[in-house]
Amino acid sequence: MEEVKDDKTYKGFVERLTLGITRVLENLPGVLDVRFVEKPPAEKRCLLSWEQKNNCALPEDLRDFYLTTDGFMLAWNTKLENEVVPVGCMMINNVAQLRPLIQSNVYSLPNAPTLADLDFDDDLEEPDGPEKPHFDSRSRIFELDPCNGNGKVCLVYKNCTSGIMAQQCEVWFLDRSLFWHYLTPSFTAYYRLMITHLGLPEWQYNFTPYGPSPQAKQWAALYQPLTFHGDSHPDAACEPLLNKLDPAEAFRGKAKPPTPKKKQAAQVPVSGGSTAKAQGVSGRHSVTKR
């Protein structure tokens, strides 16, 4: 009995943590091996140590997340022509892997360029959009999701001052060409966005001007038909592609065809009718006589 109770408790925990996405995936056609990796919660001292080491305060929603589970991993496959193909992956680094975004070992030489040298000028920023992060000391950037090598989802603290703990953070996407793209203002909003996109390949590129690759668009059209749009930046003059359904017309009862009215026979004068009838009878008698 205790094992059954523990199994129900675990399933309820997974259901709440994944917002019910595991059941949705299991009911999709062709989806196989929906795997959720259970992880223990992080310790409070680890969170305090991270904040002191990086001089950044974790947002309340991210802190609660790590106190529930130290990281997140959910993956699923599909079957194509008797071959299992990995498709979806939702991942959030644990506290130990929430490291600052640093250059690779290729740039470890003394005279090699750094990410700060590759930073772009403010003149290239969009006037209407939010201020983009910088690779220098003005921003503190930490990697949330490596995106299977297709970019990086980062927790970004902007307008930082040396010696002062940073408080406010946002979630941004850094593509492979080192351009920044704004995703969400909070970790909770990003978490819901990740669940909504089912961890499909390159889903973060839906928030870029150029969008995901053609193959990723095919996966999205197959497994995410309700939220997938082929053009993430449609023309303002174009109307959205919506199924214009009028419930009053679609769901009303089937109308009965009108009953055709019977034609009334033309009234014939009595005298004329009797005369014609008499003539017909007399004619038949005359023929019989002959």
Side-chain angles (χ1 to χ4, degrees), residues 4-164:
V4 174
K5 186 176 181 180
D6 293 341
D7 185 58
K8 290 183 178 180
T9 303
Y10 172 72
K11 288 183 177 179
F13 167 74
V14 174
E15 187 80 8
R16 292 191 302 271
L17 185 63
T18 62
L19 306 181
I21 200 62
T22 53
R23 288 187 293 107
V24 174
L25 288 170
E26 289 171 353
N27 292 328
L28 289 177
V31 173
L32 303 173
D33 304 331
V34 180
R35 305 179 308 279
F36 172 74
V37 180
E38 183 182 7
K39 299 185 178 182
E43 298 181 2
K44 288 186 177 181
R45 61 180 182 84
C46 296
L47 301 181
L48 293 174
S49 176
W50 186 94
E51 291 180 334
Q52 295 176 357
K53 177 181 178 181
N54 298 288
N55 205 16
C56 295
L58 286 171
E60 196 67 25
D61 53 357
L62 185 56
R63 176 188 293 272
D64 293 340
F65 173 81
Y66 279 131
L67 291 176
T68 304
T69 174
D70 191 9
F72 185 89
M73 176 65 178
L74 193 152
W76 54 276
N77 303 334
T78 189
K79 193 173 184 180
L80 293 177
E81 298 182 354
N82 298 325
E83 182 180 356
V84 177
V85 179
V87 178
C89 181
M90 310 177 207
M91 182 175 179
I92 294 175
N93 288 336
N94 55 28
V95 178
Q97 294 176 334
L98 192 64
R99 305 188 186 101
L101 187 68
I102 58 175
Q103 65 271 21
S104 62
N105 295 330
V106 178
Y107 300 115
S108 59
L109 299 175
N111 296 327
T114 63
L115 289 176
D117 297 327
L118 301 177
D119 207 351
F120 299 99
D121 297 332
D122 295 339
D123 298 338
L124 300 178
E125 294 186 0
E126 300 176 1
D128 299 334
E131 179 187 357
K132 294 187 177 181
H134 298 277
F135 294 115
D136 54 17
S137 59
R138 288 175 289 179
S139 300
R140 297 170 189 169
I141 306 168
F142 305 92
E143 181 180 329
L144 273 177
D145 181 4
C147 302
N148 291 326
N150 294 317
K152 293 181 184 296
V153 174
C154 299
L155 189 72
V156 177
Y157 295 82
K158 296 186 296 186
N159 301 321
C160 298
T161 305
S162 179
I164 299 178

Side-chain angles (χ1 to χ4, degrees), residues 98-245:
L98 192 64
R99 305 188 186 101
L101 187 68
I102 58 175
Q103 65 271 21
S104 62
N105 295 330
V106 178
Y107 300 115
S108 59
L109 299 175
N111 296 327
T114 63
L115 289 176
D117 297 327
L118 301 177
D119 207 351
F120 299 99
D121 297 332
D122 295 339
D123 298 338
L124 300 178
E125 294 186 0
E126 300 176 1
D128 299 334
E131 179 187 357
K132 294 187 177 181
H134 298 277
F135 294 115
D136 54 17
S137 59
R138 288 175 289 179
S139 300
R140 297 170 189 169
I141 306 168
F142 305 92
E143 181 180 329
L144 273 177
D145 181 4
C147 302
N148 291 326
N150 294 317
K152 293 181 184 296
V153 174
C154 299
L155 189 72
V156 177
Y157 295 82
K158 296 186 296 186
N159 301 321
C160 298
T161 305
S162 179
I164 299 178
M165 178 169 287
Q167 301 289 336
Q168 300 295 329
C169 65
E170 299 169 339
V171 181
W172 287 72
F173 175 60
L174 180 66
D175 64 18
R176 297 185 64 180
S177 59
L178 299 181
F179 277 94
W180 287 105
H181 307 279
Y182 177 77
L183 291 180
T184 59
S186 65
F187 171 76
T188 300
Y190 171 75
Y191 185 79
R192 291 181 178 274
L193 200 65
M194 177 186 68
I195 296 292
T196 303
H197 286 83
L198 308 179
L200 287 164
E202 303 178 19
W203 70 264
Q204 295 89 352
Y205 280 89
N206 289 318
F207 299 89
T208 66
Y210 26 89
S213 65
Q215 183 180 4
K217 288 182 179 180
Q218 290 180 355
W219 285 121
L222 181 61
Y223 287 108
Q224 196 186 11
L226 297 180
T227 57
F228 171 70
H229 302 281
D231 185 6
S232 59
H233 299 274
D235 189 1
C238 297
E239 294 184 359
L241 298 175
L242 298 178
N243 186 6
K244 297 180 179 180
L245 177 67

